[in-house]
Amino acid sequence: MAIAEEASDTGTLPAPSFSPDDLADWSGGDWRGPKPDRVTGFAIDSRAVRPGDCFVALPGSRSDGHFFLSAARDAGAACAMVRAAFEPPFELDGFPLLRVDDPRRALASLAKQHRARLRGTFVCIAGSCGKTTVKELTADLLGALGPVARTKGNWNNDLGVPLSLLRMAPEHRYGVFEVGMNHPGELDPLASMVRPHISVVTCVGPEHIEFFDGEESIAHEEAAALRALDAEGIAVLPADDKWFHVLRSHVKGKLCTVSLTADADYRIEPGPPPRFVVTEWATGESVPLEAPLPGRHVLSNAGLAIAVARLLGVSWGAIAERLRAFRPPSMRWEAMDLGGIRVINDAYNANPLSMRAALDAFAATPVAGRRWLVLGAMRELGAREKTYHEELGRDLAKGPWFGAIFVGAEGAWIRSGAVRAGFQNALTAADAEEAGKLLVKHLRPGDAVLIKASRGVGLERAIDELRR
């Protein structure tokens, strides 16, 4: 759940504007020295400051934002929000400082107050995997109706959610925000901050299970997005999910279901890829569409986004057009051609659900030559982490792969399960760079390779070796 700089289009509307008096009132702080005229944005990294921003000085694991005030000022920041007890050890030449008890809590308070004055329709996206794809799909589809603000990249934690909300202008008609977690109790305050009219839970699986009692506990945590709805709110849920009954128990308003296997408000029927058909129960209409990406899980993700879009009035024609134009975010099924070799970079994150979904999608992807895998660790799986990796290896062994490179200690567990299940061309690499060198040695034009692991592995570095 790290904050990463990733492009996210919120339209061409002017940035929201904040008065210094409102900022002091909303944060419970007071100004030291002069006040800025206006504030038009917020940043927690001095390198990301834009003119007019309020730089929020946060303590970090490696450094303290309070020691980057000069850099923020020189980058054009209008002011900074600092701890009340902070005394600058250097001259700031009248740089406005908003003093608060705790800048992190104050940032959340600012976002809540800003959200209270916005009149758009808000959608909250939660789930164990697929959140960012569903968020991007939903926002793209709603763009047919008017300006849409959305979570910037993967900004879905207790810093990213308020920063994303504070980027939303009053003129935006829709706000689509994802919320993420890795510990119990994190999602309720984030979903409540969004105050959604519609909430979506993409799926439930063993994401961050190291910190939970089991998958059912994760289901109850993801249901925070549903608890944040009022009695008039709409929950959009995948009826096929193993934990659908748990999610449904948290719904107190209207429920809209999406299913690939049974009757639902939106029934998704796969056809010859990339085609599929959506049947809308309320109207009886069955509409043929084209999936933006391969894989059965993509149809479920697309179905959830389509359900939200239809609930808010997007036409089938606009949905079809925008699905065709959809491009996934960086490192999420990001396909590229390097010297005649097809590389699919899906290395943004990984858990047992998303790994299997990616493998299924890759197996269904047309390839002229041979299919290769580069797989690494799935993190935060707790006491059963070795078992989860070995089970993945066992399950992938019968797939249409010519060869696979298993990276690191966790990759060796995947390899062990695969070899025991009969997989033969199983190579090992200590790290991403070594995996890249093996790819250079073994791949040939026409081949395709899927690269996937948890973000901390940095498995995308293997692609750099191919580029070189």
Side-chain angles (χ1 to χ4, degrees):
M1 296 204 310
I3 300 273
E5 284 295 326
E6 243 182 270
S8 182
D9 178 26
T10 57
T12 58
L13 297 177
S17 180
F18 304 86
S19 75
D21 291 339
D22 279 345
L23 294 183
D25 182 43
W26 295 352
S27 67
D30 59 82
W31 290 99
R32 171 175 176 156
K35 298 178 183 179
D37 292 332
R38 304 292 295 179
V39 169
T40 55
F42 296 83
I44 59 173
D45 186 334
S46 61
R47 297 166 297 183
V49 166
R50 298 171 297 182
D53 278 354
C54 172
F55 173 62
V56 183
L58 299 173
S61 58
R62 298 181 182 177
S63 59
D64 190 328
H66 290 79
F67 296 105
F68 293 88
L69 295 176
S70 293
R73 176 201 59 194
D74 295 345
C79 61
M81 189 159 64
V82 301
R83 292 192 308 270
F86 174 72
E87 291 294 336
F90 39 80
E91 180 56 50
L92 288 172
D93 298 327
F95 185 47
L97 299 179
L98 178 58
R99 303 183 304 172
V100 298
D101 289 338
D102 182 331
R104 196 182 195 106
R105 285 203 303 266
L107 179 65
S109 180
L110 294 180
K112 291 176 185 176
Q113 296 291 336
H114 178 57
R115 165 64 184 92
R117 69 177 183 173
L118 297 171
R119 295 293 177 262
T121 299
F122 284 75
V123 181
C124 182
I125 313 288
S128 294
C129 57
K131 291 185 295 295
T132 300
T133 298
V134 173
K135 177 257 299 183
E136 294 293 333
L137 277 168
T138 302
D140 281 5
L141 297 184
L142 293 181
L145 301 178
V148 182
R150 68 184 83 188
T151 301
K152 183 177 181 181
N154 66 319
W155 287 16
N156 62 18
N157 65 4
D158 67 325
L159 295 175
V161 173
L163 286 170
S164 293
L165 281 167
L166 288 165
R167 289 163 54 90
M168 184 169 175
E171 294 83 2
H172 281 113
R173 287 186 60 187
Y174 303 94
V176 183
F177 299 98
E178 65 174 279
V179 293
M181 59 82 189
N182 55 22
H183 287 83
E186 291 182 336
L187 283 188
D188 275 308
L190 298 182
S192 297
M193 189 182 298
V194 176
R195 290 174 52 194
H197 301 92
I198 298 176
S199 285
V200 179
V201 180
T202 60
C203 62
V204 174
E207 177 197 32
H208 311 301
I209 200 167
E210 175 182 359
F211 308 110
F212 289 85
D213 294 334
E215 288 188 32
E216 184 172 352
S217 295
I218 294 173
H220 286 293
E221 180 70 17
E222 298 293 358
L226 310 176
R227 292 190 291 272
L229 294 166
D230 62 23
E232 301 300 316
I234 305 174
V236 178
L237 298 178
D240 304 332
D241 193 87
K242 173 184 177 181
W243 298 104
F244 171 72
H245 65 286
V246 173
L247 298 174
R248 182 177 57 190
S249 71
H250 291 268
V251 177
K252 53 183 177 283
K254 180 179 177 181
L255 172 63
C256 176
T257 55
V258 176
S259 176
L260 277 72
T261 62
D263 289 340
D265 294 296
Y266 290 88
R267 173 69 189 272
I268 313 297
E269 297 177 89
R275 297 179 179 85
F276 67 104
V277 175
V278 180
T279 299
E280 185 176 61
W281 182 86
T283 63
E285 295 178 301
S286 291
V287 181
L289 298 167
E290 291 187 11
L293 298 168
R296 187 176 178 86
H297 68 293
V298 172
L299 298 185
S300 179
N301 290 340
L304 295 167
I306 289 166
V308 175
R310 289 294 294 166
L311 287 168
L312 294 176
V314 182
S315 71
W316 287 114
I319 288 172
E321 178 183 352
R322 286 172 177 262
L323 284 179
R324 285 193 295 268
F326 179 76
R327 297 294 178 269
S330 174
M331 295 178 60
R332 294 172 178 87
W333 207 264
E334 183 180 9
M336 61 194 80
D337 190 288
L338 299 177
I341 296 167
R342 187 71 165 171
V343 178
I344 298 173
N345 179 2
D346 202 39
Y348 185 78
N349 212 340
N351 61 44
L353 274 182
S354 67
M355 273 284 200
R356 286 174 171 80
L359 291 171
D360 289 345
F362 190 44
T365 300
V367 173
R370 307 167 304 173
R371 289 182 178 85
W372 283 81
L373 305 173
V374 180
L375 304 179
M378 301 178 289
R379 296 280 168 84
E380 297 182 350
L381 294 179
R384 294 191 68 241
E385 62 174 344
K386 183 178 180 182
T387 301
Y388 280 118
H389 286 85
E390 289 176 342
E391 288 175 348
L392 175 67
R394 179 200 66 203
D395 293 346
L396 69 81
K398 304 304 180 184
W401 332 117
F402 179 82
I405 301 170
F406 301 100
V407 181
E410 296 91 339
W413 292 337
I414 304 174
R415 181 185 184 276
S416 174
V419 170
R420 286 203 303 270
F423 189 71
Q424 294 184 345
N425 195 11
L427 309 179
T428 60
D431 53 31
E433 288 78 9
E434 184 178 343
K437 291 181 173 66
L438 286 172
L439 288 176
V440 171
K441 179 179 179 181
H442 289 281
L443 292 182
R444 62 194 187 199
D447 287 352
V449 57
L450 169 68
I451 296 176
K452 189 165 182 64
S454 284
R455 186 69 191 92
V457 180
L459 203 53
E460 72 278 2
R461 296 195 302 271
I463 301 171
D464 296 336
E465 297 294 329
L466 284 175
R467 287 196 176 101
R468 282 193 283 269

